[in-house]
Amino acid sequence: MSSPTDADVQTTDTTPTPATPSSRQLVVLISGSGSNLQALIDAQNTPALPNTSIALVLSNRKAAHGLVRATTASPPIPTAYLALQPYLRSNPGKTREDYDLELARIVLREKPDVVVLAGWMHIVSEPFLEALRGTREVKDEGQEQYESSSNNDENSVPTSPIPVINIHPALPGQFDGANAIQRGYEAFQRGEVDKLGVMVHRVVAEVDRGEPLIVREVPIEKGEPLEVYEERLHRVEWEIIVQATKRVLDEVKPLPLEGTENA
Ligand code: GRF
């Protein structure tokens, strides 16, 4: 197995993250602008997401602006970057499944309570989900295949399943997959659907089909520009991604009663 080439990697911030009192940890996966990540960054350790911090932001695109949002947050959030094609080029014989298990390994090292897919444009596979459920062991092969500014290099197998949730800009069963905003907008303008919306759902291997956690309709008007609808939709996303994350955290790791030790 070879290491990633210089062309595949770039130096990231290695500033140690100050110790945090947060007892609940998120790992957030992104591919792009990271506006939903920003909503989570802003909500950390506030009443919207009490006693919660983001342990790691993982991107599959080097140029994802969300990585900049993470490294410039206060305190800075560790980041990692691993893209499929450079991984496959650097590791002849490795497969898409190996890549997905490497992603799972990076996530598991942080021992998150919840994993949030916030604009993650890579189909989550069953092996990845099995690793997060703890039904599939992922061995640490002892060689870093990715670029990371996280200080946490422990190998880990979860002791209980780690929930994975995803934000998708459509109502349940509508417009699965990529470009859902534009496809929904065009379908509405053609009169094929009469309502549109966004949801946060639990992740299963079938794309955008896991159990919805929060569903919100987004108003749309005939003839309004796509950009106007899109802006309205994103504002709803920024609210529900935080609400759904809190709901799932409260299921898996409720806050301790005041005066008791953090779990
Ligand atoms: C969001 O609209 C999300 O619903 C979709 O991709 C977009 C990501 O935006 N899956 P951002 O990177 O969070 O700004």
Side-chain angles (χ1 to χ4, degrees):
M1 187 186 306
S2 59
S3 299
T5 64
D6 286 348
D8 298 331
V9 297
Q10 67 184 20
T11 308
T12 58
D13 176 24
T14 52
T15 311
T17 307
T20 158
S22 301
S23 69
R24 312 194 294 183
Q25 301 289 311
L26 307 174
V27 167
V28 183
L29 273 58
I30 61 159
S31 301
S33 145
S35 66
N36 283 284
L37 164 67
Q38 189 68 54
L40 293 166
I41 291 173
D42 295 345
Q44 296 178 103
N45 289 310
T46 73
L49 277 182
N51 217 9
T52 302
S53 59
I54 300 171
L56 180 74
V57 172
L58 169 60
S59 175
N60 68 336
R61 287 187 47 222
K62 191 186 291 189
H65 180 64
L67 291 172
V68 178
R69 295 182 192 261
T71 54
T72 57
S74 178
I77 299 168
T79 58
Y81 154 71
L82 185 72
L84 176 61
Q85 293 308 327
Y87 172 86
L88 295 176
R89 278 198 300 274
S90 299
N91 296 279
K94 291 281 185 185
T95 63
R96 158 74 197 261
E97 180 171 323
D98 295 315
Y99 169 79
D100 287 344
L101 290 171
E102 186 65 36
L103 290 174
R105 206 171 278 132
I106 297 168
V107 170
L108 289 172
R109 281 181 181 147
E110 306 300 327
K111 299 184 169 61
D113 299 295
V114 174
V115 173
V116 185
L117 310 186
W120 173 247
M121 302 303 289
H122 175 78
I123 293 174
V124 170
S125 66
E126 193 54 31
F128 177 90
L129 293 171
E130 286 170 358
L132 267 72
R133 277 186 222 117
T135 56
R136 179 176 188 133
E137 196 182 350
V138 283
K139 291 209 169 64
D140 197 326
E141 295 176 353
Q143 188 170 8
E144 301 281 300
Q145 288 298 306
Y146 64 96
E147 174 193 353
S148 173
S149 65
S150 170
N151 295 320
N152 191 347
D153 56 2
E154 260 183 67
N155 194 17
S156 154
V157 176
T159 50
S160 56
I162 299 171
V164 184
I165 65 174
N166 177 53
I167 187 145
H168 183 60
L171 296 172
Q174 265 193 342
F175 311 110
D176 298 337
N179 301 319
I181 300 176
Q182 181 159 354
R183 288 189 290 133
Y185 170 86
E186 287 170 0
F188 177 85
Q189 299 301 338
R190 287 195 298 262
E192 293 164 9
V193 293
D194 59 3
K195 54 186 179 184
L196 296 172
V198 297
M199 67 170 163
V200 177
H201 62 94
R202 295 185 198 276
V203 173
V204 295
E206 201 182 349
V207 176
D208 299 326
R209 283 301 171 111
E211 176 202 341
L213 286 159
I214 297 188
V215 178
R216 286 260 302 268
E217 278 185 36
V218 177
I220 177 166
E221 289 169 23
K222 282 266 185 220
E224 74 177 342
L226 171 62
E227 298 67 33
V228 173
Y229 167 65
E230 199 166 3
E231 172 68 17
R232 195 183 305 122
L233 178 145
H234 286 312
R235 290 185 183 282
V236 178
E237 286 191 319
W238 303 334
E239 287 175 24
I240 70 170
I241 197 164
V242 173
Q243 292 167 356
T245 300
K246 180 170 188 301
R247 183 178 298 180
V248 177
L249 275 170
D250 287 343
E251 282 170 16
V252 297
K253 195 163 185 181
L255 285 176
L257 294 172
E258 256 177 60
T260 61
E261 284 290 300
N262 281 347

